[in-house]
Amino acid sequence: MISFIGGIVLLVLGYVLYSQLIVKNFGVETERETPAYVLEDGSDFIPMAESKNWLIQLLNIAGTGPIFGPIMGALYGPVAFIWIVIGNIFAGAVHDYYLGMISLRNNGAHLPALAGKYLGKPMKHVVNIFASLLLLLVGTVFVTSPASLLANLTPAFMNNWFWVVIIFIYYFLSTMLPIDKIIGRIYPIFGAILLLSCIGVLITLFTSGNIANVPELNLQNMHPDGVSIIPGIFFTISCGAMSGFHATQSPIISRTIQKEGQGRWVFYGAMITEGVIAMIWAAAAMALFDRVDLSALIKAGTASAAVSEIALTLLGSVGGTIAILGVIVLPITSGDTAFRSLRMIIADYINLNQKPFKNRFAISFPIFAMSTALMFIDFNILWRYFNWANQTTAVIALFVSTAYLIYKSANYWVTLIPGVFMLYMVILYLLTEKIGFGLEMQLSYYLSAAITAVILVVFIIYVRKTKEALTKDSLLINDHLPIKAIYPELLSNN
């Protein structure tokens, strides 16, 4: 119980204290015009209130990840709390804030364009593939998981495929229509359901006395199947700690923020909130289940079965149903913006204006056709590939942020350290897991370190040479967009 409460307190302190350092390091310009005003188009670039942006950002980034992931992470024991707290404060929230703010400084550009600008133009093509793959997987996964939960709550004729069709229709509309027409209007309702369900689970954990069952903090691996903590936990718990998917979502909100000073609450604050959600569900899983029973339940019906059991046990039939609806809200409000973000990334890549409805349709229709085909692939296979693509994207976003800070002559260690750490884990995961090479763990430790070192050296050499060239040619400018002359197409008002 103390480790759980302490973790929540540390998350709050992370926002109060560490986020100030992160914001100061970026160099916010409170009076600078934002893309929402400069590029307002009635579709994607629309000024919205800080509270609405925060809520949309929270619901965008909080798919099933901060619930399913922590529940599966609970199998490792209270060591899961360590990764959620440290990962969130020093990696995840930093990742979300810098990527969102750098996008804002680049007219709402998405990750592929930012990677091309700050890491070299070839990276734009590489990252475009990664980001597109990730978003397609996210959108597909976040159709299947809410559909299965809804099917369990409704009459038999409303089976899994019935809800798949309904969710797809909603996703298509939310991808096509202006952001303030559907997403901006219904997200406050979704947000209320989500927050009330989390508060309900938290309160009943204490009032029922089940909170006493949460183990106190230790570094012991309690996983009943003997799955290694390294690298397992860093891919099991992504949303809530650090997730590359967020790098595809923050640019959506960078196009609707009214002032740069709002970024701290909208980007960093939303991630801290997601960390609190992750802590609550991880604690609930530890409190109510023996890890052997939890493992069996997850294997029998994915983490959604554990969600239903936790909600109904703690809150009863009525409250539990509301809580389950809160969980359903999360993947739906990430799936819709996953497809929307994918549309915007493709449009940016091929330079297709998205103001005309027909242009949005021309990109959206093939996206949903491909997602429909992926529906026939086993969920667990999709999830494994999503895990790796997700954290690889996070590494790219952190290295983009590091390059930006180096060009700006700011403190780049705040992004480089978590970036190198996760780079090592991504390589280790690829070397040891089934989706990769399946090598022996001990050998993989050394190989991962060597590959990480090579990539780091190449990155440092490239960035330093680029900065030297820019300084020599007097291209380091006051608004911290140092490669304006190289990629002017990204910038129209900077």
Side-chain angles (χ1 to χ4, degrees):
M1 180 173 68
I2 295 175
S3 58
F4 169 68
I5 296 173
I8 300 292
V9 171
L10 287 173
L11 284 170
V12 174
L13 289 176
Y15 176 77
V16 173
L17 300 176
Y18 193 64
S19 69
Q20 290 191 49
L21 183 152
I22 295 301
V23 171
K24 184 178 180 181
N25 189 52
F26 179 79
V28 166
E29 298 174 18
T30 56
E31 301 304 316
R32 181 189 178 103
E33 279 193 303
T34 62
Y37 293 106
V38 176
L39 302 173
E40 188 171 358
D41 64 359
S43 176
D44 298 321
F45 292 89
I46 299 175
M48 294 197 299
E50 180 181 20
S51 58
K52 184 173 286 189
N53 279 325
W54 174 83
L55 184 59
I56 293 175
Q57 173 72 1
L58 173 63
L59 291 174
N60 284 357
I61 64 176
T64 51
I67 296 179
F68 283 21
I71 286 175
M72 292 187 285
L75 294 170
Y76 293 98
V79 69
F81 291 150
I82 298 176
W83 170 232
I84 292 173
V85 173
I86 295 178
N88 189 301
I89 295 171
F90 298 104
V94 172
H95 166 282
D96 291 12
Y97 177 80
Y98 278 121
L99 202 286
M101 295 302 291
I102 294 169
S103 172
L104 186 147
R105 285 281 176 90
N106 284 270
N107 293 338
H110 278 273
L111 182 59
L114 295 175
K117 174 175 171 144
Y118 294 108
L119 299 181
K121 204 163 187 177
M123 284 298 294
K124 176 180 180 179
H125 308 298
V126 174
V127 177
N128 194 72
I129 294 172
F130 261 104
S132 298
L133 173 63
L134 174 62
L135 289 168
L136 190 61
L137 289 173
V138 166
T140 305
V141 166
F142 289 170
V143 172
T144 56
S145 55
S148 63
L149 286 169
L150 283 166
N152 291 333
L153 295 176
T154 52
F157 76 92
M158 294 182 175
N159 59 18
N160 191 67
W161 283 105
F162 172 88
W163 286 112
V164 164
V165 172
I166 296 298
I167 293 170
F168 259 131
I169 292 172
Y170 165 71
Y171 282 178
F172 189 78
L173 292 175
S174 61
T175 299
M176 293 284 296
L177 296 176
I179 193 169
D180 61 338
K181 298 303 181 185
I182 292 184
I183 292 175
R185 291 181 179 179
I186 67 172
Y187 269 36
I189 300 171
F190 284 169
I193 295 173
L194 165 64
L195 295 175
L196 285 173
S197 64
C198 288
I199 292 170
V201 171
L202 176 62
I203 292 173
T204 52
L205 269 176
F206 284 90
T207 57
S208 66
N210 282 298
I211 193 67
N213 298 329
V214 178
E216 291 307 334
L217 193 62
N218 64 75
L219 299 178
Q220 180 182 355
N221 183 4
M222 299 182 178
H223 202 293
D225 301 324
V227 178
S228 174
I229 292 177
I230 299 176
I233 199 168
F234 305 107
F235 294 84
T236 302
I237 305 176
S238 52
C239 293
M242 186 175 76
S243 169
F245 172 64
H246 300 185
T248 68
Q249 301 303 291
S250 293
I252 296 177
I253 304 303
S254 74
R255 301 183 179 199
T256 61
I257 282 183
Q258 296 169 321
K259 294 184 178 181
E260 284 195 356
Q262 296 174 352
R264 180 189 178 199
W265 175 239
V266 171
F267 295 124
Y268 201 104
M271 184 56 187
I272 291 292
T273 305
E274 188 185 73
V276 173
I277 294 171
M279 289 287 291
I280 291 171
W281 283 94
M286 292 180 204
L288 295 183
F289 296 104
D290 173 87
R291 269 164 290 284
V292 174
D293 294 336
L294 178 61
S295 177
L297 186 62
I298 292 172
K299 290 175 182 176
T302 75
S304 62
V307 168
S308 299
E309 189 73 22
I310 291 169
L312 295 172
T313 300
L314 289 176
L315 302 176
S317 58
V318 176
T321 300
I322 294 174
I324 294 170
L325 289 174
V327 174
I328 292 169
V329 159
L330 287 174
I332 289 177
T333 54
S334 290
D336 55 8
T337 51
F339 286 119
R340 186 181 188 87
S341 181
L342 180 54
R343 170 181 65 78
M344 292 160 67
I345 286 176
I346 294 173
D348 289 351
Y349 189 72
I350 63 176
N351 196 27
L352 183 64
N353 188 336
Q354 290 298 278
K355 191 170 183 178
F357 184 86
K358 64 178 182 179
N359 289 357
R360 281 177 261 157
F361 183 85
I363 295 177
S364 300
F365 185 79
I367 289 173
F368 281 91
M370 288 186 288
S371 181
T372 301
L374 288 174
M375 288 289 298
F376 296 94
I377 298 177
D378 180 65
F379 176 88
N380 291 321
I381 295 175
L382 286 177
W383 190 256
R384 284 199 297 269
Y385 281 97
F386 160 74
N387 280 340
W388 184 77
N390 184 42
Q391 297 301 55
T392 301
T393 304
V395 170
I396 294 168
L398 285 168
F399 273 75
V400 166
S401 301
T402 301
Y404 174 88
L405 293 173
I406 291 173
Y407 296 140
K408 182 184 171 181
S409 298
N411 175 14
Y412 57 85
W413 293 104
V414 293
T415 53
L416 182 60
I417 291 174
V420 171
F421 175 80
M422 280 310 302
L423 173 61
Y424 177 82
M425 292 301 166
V426 162
I427 296 170
L428 184 62
Y429 186 87
L430 185 63
L431 291 179
T432 57
E433 294 296 315
K434 292 180 180 179
I435 68 167
F437 298 95
L439 300 180
E440 189 268 333
M441 183 65 74
Q442 195 67 33
L443 173 63
S444 298
Y445 285 146
Y446 299 112
L447 282 176
S448 300
I451 296 171
T452 300
V454 170
I455 294 174
L456 181 59
V457 168
V458 171
F459 168 76
I460 292 173
I461 291 173
Y462 170 79
V463 171
R464 285 184 175 177
K465 284 186 175 181
T466 303
K467 184 176 181 180
E468 288 173 4
L470 293 170
T471 303
K472 181 180 179 181
D473 295 335
S474 301
L475 293 175
L476 287 173
I477 55 181
N478 292 331
D479 60 2
H480 316 312
L481 296 172
I483 318 182
K484 185 174 182 179
I486 299 177
Y487 301 116
E489 71 275 9
L490 293 178
L491 314 165
S492 60
N493 293 285
N494 289 291

